Amino acid sequence: MRIPAGDLPGARRGRPRRTRRSRLSGAAVALAVAVAGCGAPAAPAGRLTVFAAASLTATFQALAGTFEKERAGTQVVFHFAASSTLAQQLVDGAPADVFAAASPETMATVTRAGVAAGPQTFVRNQLVIGVAEGNPKNLRSLADLARPGVAVARCAAQVPCGVAADRALRAADVTLRGPTLELNANATLTKLTLGEVDAALIYRTDALAAAAAVDAVDFPQSAAAATDYPIALISRGDRKELAAAFVALVTGERSAAAFRRAGFTTL
Amino acid sequence: MSALEVAVTLRRGAFRRRLDLRVDGGEVVALVGPNGAGKTTALRTLAGLHRPAAGTVRLGGRTLDDVPAGAHVPTHRRRVGLVFQEYLLFGHLSVRENVAFGPRCAGLGRAAARRRADEWLDRMRLAGYAGRRPGHLSGGQAQRVALARALAAAPALLLLDEPLAALDAGLRPAIRAELRAYLRDFAGPTVLVTHDPGDAAALADRVVSLDRPDATGPPGD
Amino acid sequence: MSRLLAVPAGLAVALLAAPLLGLLARAPWAALGHWWGRAETVEALRTSLLTASGATLVCVVLGVPLAAVLTRVRGWARRLLRVAVLLPLILPPVVGGVALLLVFGRGGLLGAPVYRWWGVSLPFTPGAVVLAQVFVGLPFLVLAVEGALRAADRRVEDAAATLGAGPWTVFRRVTVPLVAPGVLAGAALSWARAVGEFGATITFAGNVPGRSRTVPVAVYLALETDPAGAVALSLLLLGVCAVVLVALRDRWWGGLA
């Protein structure tokens, strides 16, 4: 059983988060300074602030571990939340160096405001039908979700996962019976893991993360419901070089396996 | 057969005192004594609001309290009218509804209870105030309403706690005479409590003095 | 002295009024009609008002006796009850919503057997909205009524008993009217709290248009795509609540004051 950790539904695991690793790397900075004369690698020391969609939490933290190891003295500070929340904060002037969004539309609100530039799509997330373990109601397709007596949760049309759900349902020409329109992907998943609904339209990455309690059913229209994840440099950030290096790591070949393990489709 | 027979040990916190009393139907007995003598405790015990520590209370052959036998009739089944020192009228009800409260509780319909109330208000020269709220009455009027309210419930025993204490000194002689007339009309036993020997002598057929049994009595009692 | 009070009091007013002024400053005046007239808006407002009123009724029916009990019990029982009453005030509403799911949800302690035997489940229904609102609103009513009970002269209850009124009659005909002003104030508070409820509602009752979508939920959703719409809906909620509370105040309290 899984309980939302945030205190607002919008903030999926969504507080500014400093990993233990990054706190430790503070000590690493001191150490690096102390041994600087002894031929330590000459990496640019500094703090990189990354705003990222909540669904990227696990993968990005793993990548940051690699990144910090390769550049002693570097510290990556994450702020994970719903991308629309992050976009709003960025437009309102929140300090950050990199923004990774869960939808092109969300990224567009930031680039249109001139806050970020040059977004690159790095992964794609797809919807699956999440069901209770063992699929007790034998739900195999979107059409099955419209059967009487099947309680369904999905994201509201105002948030990216809801846009994707609308697209998929339209492609399948299915109308659900009174689904609950949740405010974000995590709330949708929670309704399923708590057993309040029989099925939920959730991201493959979320289904994988909750694999202990949830089975994922693929459906053909999910290609129509794929969501691209763009990443971009924040224009006013003052660690451009470090930020570009992080973006290069995220979009690069050697991160692909980590993203795939988490359930993303790489390009 | 309507006599009140009291043989109890009163209890109020750590306070204890013995009270033995017999009051016949139609008789008015005044309990007088200083603060702390247990006067109010005595009345509240007779009304069933406190339980005695020991002994029995009988009224007209009915047992109201019998501590050895574990018997205690709750206040609302005792048919004991109590006129409080501060009257304690129901502020949210009209004077008529205040007086009709007892008859209503006895099972009378709304209209019948109102008629009963109006009779009592007439008798006590309060007919003109039936529609008023208690907050708009003078002290003397409020006292008469409290008495009418208690009598309208047809009590078998009437208790009055310092009935004149809340009144202006100037009004007291007139109201005292009036109260005496009403008490004379009441057929059951009456026990009143006062710290004023003058009031006791004027209102009661018999005066029983309660001295302070010891220094442990609760203050303000 | 009055000068000394004026400064913090003025600050307090500013603190309370500033967010409201912010809403008014950003209000899309020209588009208000468009937002207020939309079918979804009317539907959400209806759901909000009906559920909040139902929740207030439940709060009164359950909360007044609880307040009466609270004034009577002593010692550890009272401390325990007091904590139980205050808990919903301390708990973040979302956590309250999760707690409700764990008890009354389809997989919850009580909800699971009910679902198994009768096939009914509470979440996503108007009933779930009411339950969430009762959970967050009940403390306001209980505290207001308890305060009124403590302030009242309880000896009039003794007077009623001497007139032949049993405990239930005393409660109904004397205690309740005695604390009516406190009950009304508490009801108004819990109603207002219920109307504004968001966290527990969205968590426990979800967001099903026409059934569990209340105005605060609609506001939150609008904020995702159209902040102006969110402001318009917020103003609607504030306006309706102000009108209702002022109207009731005049009707209920006019005769008593």
Side-chain angles (χ1 to χ4, degrees), chain A residues 19-26 60-62 64-66 68 78:
Chain A
T19 61
R20 174 184 295 271
R21 201 167 41 242
S22 54
R23 248 178 274 123
L24 281 178
S25 68
F60 265 32
Q61 278 180 343
T66 312
E68 287 171 352
F78 285 115

Side-chain angles (χ1 to χ4, degrees), chain C residues 21-202:
Chain C
L21 292 177
L23 276 179
L24 291 175
R26 293 281 292 272
W29 297 109
L32 282 187
H34 160 73
W35 277 96
W36 292 3
R38 285 166 53 146
E40 299 108 273
T41 307
V42 175
E43 192 179 67
L45 186 64
R46 203 193 55 191
T47 305
S48 271
L49 295 180
L50 285 179
T51 53
S53 304
T56 306
L57 197 70
V58 176
C59 280
V60 169
V61 170
L62 301 181
V64 173
L66 174 55
V69 168
L70 258 174
T71 60
R72 271 169 213 171
V73 294
R74 297 268 173 277
W76 62 267
R78 172 152 155 206
R79 277 195 289 277
L80 209 68
L81 274 178
R82 186 145 282 272
V83 169
V85 169
L86 291 177
L87 205 61
L89 290 180
I90 302 158
L91 220 55
V94 175
V95 180
V98 172
L100 289 174
L101 273 180
L102 295 179
V103 177
F104 299 104
R106 220 171 71 169
L109 293 175
L110 297 176
V114 170
Y115 181 66
R116 232 185 351 265
W117 292 100
W118 291 288
V120 282
S121 77
L122 194 53
F124 316 123
T125 64
V129 180
V130 169
L131 187 54
Q133 291 171 342
V134 167
F135 183 74
V136 297
L138 196 53
F140 291 90
L141 187 113
V142 172
L143 293 179
V145 174
E146 195 199 344
L149 279 170
R150 287 193 189 285
D153 188 344
R154 305 297 295 276
R155 289 177 310 166
V156 296
E157 294 173 338
D158 293 343
T162 64
L163 296 170
W168 171 239
T169 307
V170 171
F171 182 74
R172 198 171 45 84
R173 290 204 58 204
V174 177
T175 312
V176 169
L178 193 64
V179 298
V183 174
L184 293 182
L189 279 175
S190 58
W191 186 82
R193 180 69 188 84
V195 168
E197 217 303 304
F198 169 70
T201 306
I202 189 65

Side-chain angles (χ1 to χ4, degrees), chain A residues 1 3-4 6-11 84-85 88 137 149 151 156-160 178-184 191 194-198, chain C residues 92 94 98 101-102 104-108 115 121 123-124 198-199 202-209 213 217 220-222 224-225 227:
Chain A
M1 194 168 284
I3 292 168
D7 42 16
L8 255 183
S84 53
T85 306
Q88 187 62 48
K137 291 224 169 174
Q158 288 86 342
V159 293
T180 176
L181 308 175
E182 297 296 317
L183 302 187
N184 55 58
K191 293 292 192 289
L194 286 180
E196 298 307 328
V197 293
D198 302 304
Chain C
V94 175
V98 172
L101 273 180
L102 295 179
F104 299 104
R106 220 171 71 169
Y115 181 66
S121 77
F124 316 123
F198 169 70
I202 189 65
T203 310
F204 180 53
N207 171 28
V208 182
R213 177 183 290 178
V217 173
Y220 186 92
L221 276 175
E224 290 286 331
T225 50

Side-chain angles (χ1 to χ4, degrees), chain B residues 44 76 80 84 86 88 92 149, chain C residues 155 158 161-162 164-165 173 177:
Chain B
R44 291 181 65 87
H76 65 280
V80 172
F84 293 81
E86 302 88 349
L88 300 181
H92 63 286
R149 183 177 70 170
Chain C
R155 289 177 310 166
D158 293 343
T162 64
R173 290 204 58 204

Side-chain angles (χ1 to χ4, degrees), chain A residues 62-252:
Chain A
L63 291 180
T66 312
F67 192 69
E68 287 171 352
K69 216 176 296 159
E70 290 174 1
R71 283 151 223 271
T74 306
Q75 181 187 353
V76 182
V77 177
F78 285 115
H79 190 167
F80 294 112
S83 1
S84 53
T85 306
L86 295 173
Q88 187 62 48
Q89 290 173 353
L90 288 171
V91 169
D92 288 342
D97 301 298
V98 175
F99 178 40
S103 85
E105 290 83 359
T106 312
M107 181 58 84
T109 62
V110 178
T111 50
R112 260 204 310 275
V115 173
Q120 288 173 265
T121 299
F122 60 104
V123 287
R124 180 170 287 169
N125 210 346
Q126 289 194 1
L127 289 185
V128 295
I129 299 170
V131 294
E133 220 190 353
N135 198 355
K137 291 224 169 174
N138 194 27
L139 304 168
R140 299 279 161 214
S141 67
L142 286 181
D144 286 349
L145 304 192
R147 288 197 321 230
V150 177
V152 180
R154 48 157 293 189
C155 292
Q158 288 86 342
V159 293
C161 53
V163 173
D166 270 347
R167 259 191 242 133
L169 289 166
R170 221 175 297 124
D173 197 20
V174 166
T175 306
L176 299 175
R177 296 160 179 263
T180 176
L181 308 175
E182 297 296 317
L183 302 187
N184 55 58
N186 190 47
T188 309
L189 176 65
T190 302
K191 293 292 192 289
L192 178 64
T193 53
L194 286 180
E196 298 307 328
V197 293
D198 302 304
L201 292 176
I202 55 178
Y203 284 126
R204 186 199 299 283
T205 53
D206 286 339
L208 238 77
V214 166
D215 282 356
V217 176
D218 281 305
F219 57 95
Q221 297 84 1
S222 81
T227 311
D228 288 343
Y229 280 51
I231 189 168
L233 298 184
I234 300 300
S235 311
R236 61 172 173 265
D238 50 6
R239 294 203 169 69
K240 287 268 167 43
E241 204 180 319
L242 200 58
F246 185 77
V247 171
L249 173 66
V250 168
T251 54

Side-chain angles (χ1 to χ4, degrees), chain B:
Chain B
M1 265 316 274
S2 68
L4 170 72
E5 295 157 288
V6 181
V8 293
T9 303
L10 303 174
R11 165 176 32 202
R12 177 85 174 123
F15 171 88
R16 300 278 186 284
R17 82 156 297 144
R18 187 72 201 167
L19 180 68
D20 293 280
L21 192 66
R22 183 191 158 87
V23 186
D24 290 319
E27 188 185 20
V28 179
V29 165
L31 298 180
V32 296
N35 285 341
K39 303 189 301 286
T40 295
T41 301
L43 285 197
R44 291 181 65 87
T45 303
L46 296 181
L49 296 167
H50 296 327
R51 283 169 183 251
T56 58
V57 176
R58 285 183 224 285
L59 177 60
R62 268 201 310 154
T63 298
L64 297 185
D65 280 291
D66 186 339
V67 175
H72 171 79
V73 176
T75 301
H76 65 280
R77 299 216 180 89
R78 287 170 100 97
R79 295 191 50 222
V80 172
L82 173 54
V83 177
F84 293 81
Q85 183 175 344
E86 302 88 349
Y87 314 137
L88 300 181
L89 298 173
F90 305 127
H92 63 286
L93 298 179
S94 67
V95 164
R96 176 185 286 122
E97 299 292 345
N98 263 274
V99 178
F101 192 94
R104 287 280 284 154
C105 289
L108 250 60
R110 192 181 297 260
R114 281 199 182 147
R115 268 198 305 280
R116 171 84 60 86
D118 283 339
E119 286 163 24
W120 277 102
L121 291 173
D122 264 347
R123 241 161 109 176
M124 301 206 149
R125 297 180 295 104
L126 287 163
Y129 305 98
R132 286 207 194 175
R133 291 288 165 110
H136 300 276
L137 297 176
S138 72
Q141 290 163 352
Q143 196 233 26
R144 270 184 287 155
V145 173
L147 186 62
R149 183 177 70 170
L151 291 172
L157 165 68
L158 184 62
L159 307 169
L160 299 102
D161 189 4
E162 300 279 5
L164 302 171
L167 298 174
D168 289 341
L171 290 170
R172 282 174 73 158
I175 291 180
R176 192 158 72 182
E178 199 175 53
L179 181 59
R180 175 159 178 77
Y182 292 128
L183 294 184
R184 199 164 284 154
D185 289 344
F186 179 63
T190 299
V191 178
L192 69 88
V193 145
T194 176
H195 65 276
D196 184 331
D199 286 347
L203 293 171
D205 304 315
R206 184 154 59 90
V207 175
V208 174
S209 285
L210 294 185
D211 51 348
R212 262 179 95 143
D214 51 52
T216 61
D221 182 54

